[in-house]
């Protein structure tokens, strides 16, 4: 295959190892500076320019997008997607992972265990948010920090309030997160490729440092993951839309707690700790998947007028409860069930013999009007359209502005 590695650091360990692994396997590979692309939207088909010339054809790309160029970098990846070039990490997946708040929101929707987290903007809401996550000490995180930068441990509530106020005064958004004391300055990095963990290591902070990142001086050692840790790592990467990811987990008292899903994981620490060819595993996965480029399913399925993608919830008192999927009448209404979500279990392309249960979520493609009719409407009063007042509205008083 012909592979392009999108990276601004061709001499970094990770980029060098990926390039070497690809060349050793007989692939043609080039490292392309992400910032030297120009997105060409002038023609009949999507295209890209690189260093002022039309980009040649590639079978696959491997994005290594830094935090400082997330917006432009994901735009370039998205253009490759529109050109049907395979990428293990989509632009949407990279954007989801890069924003810690968005990532936490997405993972919590799918019942992934995480440290208790809160996000507030008003100073008056900071103290209640700290209590909400369990009180001091708390961890304060910048939304787009990397390599442990922008992660602060506040031992007391007043110190936490001062730190958050200072950061917010510089237009920085922060998360407030429970400090998982039982992890004792340790975490686990699982390197997910496709649907499996290819390598895992435990990182341990040194001295007074509570951050275990390798860039912060943390020590690393190989670790054999238990099935629950491996399952959570793979599910987290898949939920974020990433086929190559580093999933960081704390060893909580009740099991794994996901801290972060990294779309451009470094390879040096984990390869040195495990002595495994992680770069080679990534290249092998790309070579096996290159004929099946990732596509934006919702975009492709929504181009037909009147058709689209929707998620239907089987309510407790719904007639569908206890029925077989084949007897539900969905196919007769021109609705196809793509995936059935039942708790933490995902059943792709479910068979017609599956018996539906309360709480099941059906990801469907079909006629939007038919699917809309299956969602119980909330009773609302029909609003009356009133005439405009003859006199201008009085200015809003400070008291009324505070009422909600």
């Amino acid at each position: 295959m012909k592979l392009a590695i999108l990276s601004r650091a061709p001499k970094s360990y990770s980029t060098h190892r990926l390039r070497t692994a690809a060349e050793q396997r007989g692939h043609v590979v080039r490292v392309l500076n992400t910032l030297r692309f120009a997105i060409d939207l002038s023609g009949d088909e999507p295209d890209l320019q690189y260093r002022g010339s039309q980009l040649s054809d590639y079978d696959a790309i491997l994005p290594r997008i830094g935090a400082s160029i997330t917006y432009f970098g994901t735009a370039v990846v998205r253009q490759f997607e529109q050109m049907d070039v395979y990428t293990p990490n989509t632009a949407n997946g990279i954007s989801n992972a890069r924003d810690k708040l968005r990532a936490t929101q997405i993972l919590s929707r799918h019942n992934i265990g995480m440290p208790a987290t809160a996000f507030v903007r008003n100073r008056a809401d900071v103290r209640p948010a700290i209590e909400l996550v369990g009180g001091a000490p708390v961890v304060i995180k910048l939304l787009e920090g990397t390599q442990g930068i922008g992660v602060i441990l506040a031992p007391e509530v007043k110190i936490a309030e001062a730190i958050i106020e200072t950061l917010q005064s510089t237009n920085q958004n922060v998360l407030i997160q429970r400090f998982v004391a039982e992890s004792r300055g340790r975490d686990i990095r699982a390197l997910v490729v496709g649907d499996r963990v290819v390598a895992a290591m435990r990182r341990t902070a040194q001295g007074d440092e509570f951050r275990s990142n390798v860039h912060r001086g943390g020590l690393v050692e190989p670790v054999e993951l238990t099935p629950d840790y491996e399952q959570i790592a793979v599910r987290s990467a898949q939920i974020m839309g990433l086929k190559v990811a580093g999933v960081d987990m704390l060893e909580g008292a009740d099991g794994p707690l996901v801290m972060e899903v990294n779309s451009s994981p470094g390879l040096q620490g984990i390869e040195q700790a495990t002595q495994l060819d992680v770069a080679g595993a990534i290249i092998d996965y790309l070579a096996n998947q290159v004929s099946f480029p990732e596509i934006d399913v919702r975009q492709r399925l929504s181009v037909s007028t009147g058709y689209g993608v929707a998620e239907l919830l089987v309510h407790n008192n719904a007639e569908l409860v206890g029925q077989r999927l084949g007897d539900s009448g969905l196919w007769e209404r021109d609705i196809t069930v793509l995936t059935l979500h039942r708790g933490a279990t995902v059943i792709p392309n479910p068979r017609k013999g599956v018996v539906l249960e309360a709480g099941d979520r059906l990801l469907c493609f079909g006629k939007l009007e038919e699917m809309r009719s299956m969602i119980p409407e909330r009773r609302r009063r029909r609003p009356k359209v009133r005439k405009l007042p003859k006199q201008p509205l009085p200015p809003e008083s400070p008291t009324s502005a505070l009422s909600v």
Side-chain angles (χ1 to χ4, degrees):
M1 70 175 169
K2 188 176 180 181
L3 170 68
I5 301 174
L6 308 187
S7 173
R8 297 173 63 204
K11 295 183 180 180
S12 70
Y13 179 92
S14 298
T15 302
H16 176 73
R17 281 286 299 117
L18 289 165
R19 180 173 187 169
T20 301
E23 290 174 343
Q24 288 174 343
R25 286 159 173 78
H27 302 300
V28 177
V29 57
R30 284 189 65 193
V31 178
L32 303 180
N33 185 337
T34 314
L35 292 183
R36 295 305 306 272
F37 284 97
I39 297 173
D40 184 1
L41 303 172
S42 61
D44 296 332
E45 295 183 351
D47 207 347
L48 280 165
Q49 302 280 325
Y50 185 71
R51 295 182 182 271
S53 301
Q54 185 178 28
L55 185 71
S56 59
D57 292 332
Y58 283 87
D59 299 310
I61 62 169
L62 184 55
R64 303 285 301 178
I65 306 298
S68 61
I69 61 164
T70 298
Y71 185 82
F72 185 79
T74 52
V76 171
V77 173
R78 191 178 303 113
Q79 189 73 350
F80 272 109
E81 293 176 46
Q82 302 303 312
M83 296 162 61
D84 292 329
V85 177
Y86 177 74
T87 173
N89 292 347
T90 64
N92 189 50
I94 296 169
S95 297
N96 288 341
R98 191 53 52 76
D99 185 327
K100 288 185 174 63
L101 175 59
R102 185 191 302 182
T104 302
Q105 290 174 307
I106 294 171
L107 292 173
S108 65
R109 174 68 174 82
H110 294 272
N111 301 315
I112 297 295
M114 293 178 292
T117 305
F119 176 69
V120 295
R121 197 66 182 88
N122 193 290
R123 181 181 179 184
D125 299 323
V126 171
R127 186 177 288 264
I130 293 173
E131 297 303 321
L132 187 66
V133 302
V138 293
V139 176
I140 301 167
K141 291 184 176 181
L142 293 179
L143 289 191
E144 293 193 353
T146 59
Q147 299 176 352
I149 299 171
V151 180
I152 306 167
L153 177 62
E156 300 175 5
V157 172
K158 288 186 177 180
I159 295 176
E161 288 180 313
I163 294 171
I164 294 170
E165 182 180 357
T166 301
L167 292 173
Q168 289 182 341
S169 69
T170 60
N171 295 321
Q172 297 280 359
N173 290 313
V174 299
L175 292 180
I176 303 170
Q177 202 166 69
R178 180 174 81 88
F179 175 60
V180 183
E182 62 266 27
S183 66
R184 299 184 298 277
R186 304 187 306 174
D187 70 10
I188 288 176
R189 160 65 66 89
L191 206 301
V192 176
V193 177
D195 58 359
R196 66 191 182 105
V197 174
V198 298
M201 65 178 177
R202 179 180 283 113
R203 304 182 296 190
T204 304
Q206 296 300 294
D208 296 332
E209 178 62 71
F210 80 100
R211 296 169 294 181
S212 56
N213 304 71
V214 175
H215 290 84
R216 307 264 75 80
L219 297 180
V220 297
E221 60 179 337
V223 62
E224 190 74 27
L225 294 186
T226 58
D228 55 338
Y229 275 79
E230 186 164 351
Q231 181 184 25
I232 286 294
V234 173
R235 282 194 64 224
S236 298
Q238 291 176 338
I239 289 167
M240 299 302 292
L242 303 172
K243 299 300 184 182
V244 175
V247 181
D248 297 338
M249 299 172 286
L250 293 176
E251 299 173 84
D254 299 320
L257 297 172
V258 175
M259 289 192 303
E260 185 176 357
V261 181
N262 194 317
S263 61
S264 299
L267 304 184
Q268 184 170 6
I270 200 161
E271 284 198 336
Q272 291 179 351
T274 63
Q275 293 298 299
L276 294 174
D277 183 9
V278 177
I282 294 173
I283 298 300
D284 289 340
Y285 177 80
L286 290 179
N288 289 331
Q289 299 294 318
V290 73
S291 299
F292 302 94
E294 292 285 333
I295 61 174
D296 188 331
V297 176
R298 189 175 291 270
Q299 178 195 95
R300 299 293 178 90
L301 294 182
S302 300
V303 294
S304 300
T305 304
Y307 284 78
V309 181
E311 187 175 69
L312 305 179
L313 175 64
V314 180
H315 295 277
N316 292 330
N317 56 352
E319 295 180 359
L320 294 176
V321 175
Q323 286 191 26
R324 294 190 310 166
L325 194 55
D327 300 328
S328 64
L330 293 174
W331 277 269
E332 289 78 3
R333 301 175 72 168
D334 205 4
I335 299 173
T336 301
V337 180
L338 304 175
T339 306
L340 187 153
H341 295 255
R342 179 172 292 165
T345 303
V346 179
I347 305 174
N349 194 24
R351 304 303 181 194
K352 293 186 178 182
V354 173
V355 178
L356 296 173
E357 300 178 2
D360 285 351
R361 291 181 289 117
L362 309 177
L363 182 64
C364 303
F365 170 72
K367 285 187 176 180
L368 291 172
E369 283 301 321
E370 289 290 338
M371 291 189 286
R372 192 174 290 117
S373 68
M374 298 182 66
I375 302 174
E377 287 194 24
R378 295 166 59 189
R379 296 184 61 183
R380 295 185 176 91
R381 296 177 183 172
R382 188 169 184 175
K384 295 181 179 180
V385 180
R386 301 177 182 178
K387 293 184 178 181
L388 286 171
K390 295 181 179 180
Q391 300 296 327
L393 292 173
E396 189 178 42
S397 66
T399 304
S400 62
L402 292 174
S403 61
V404 293

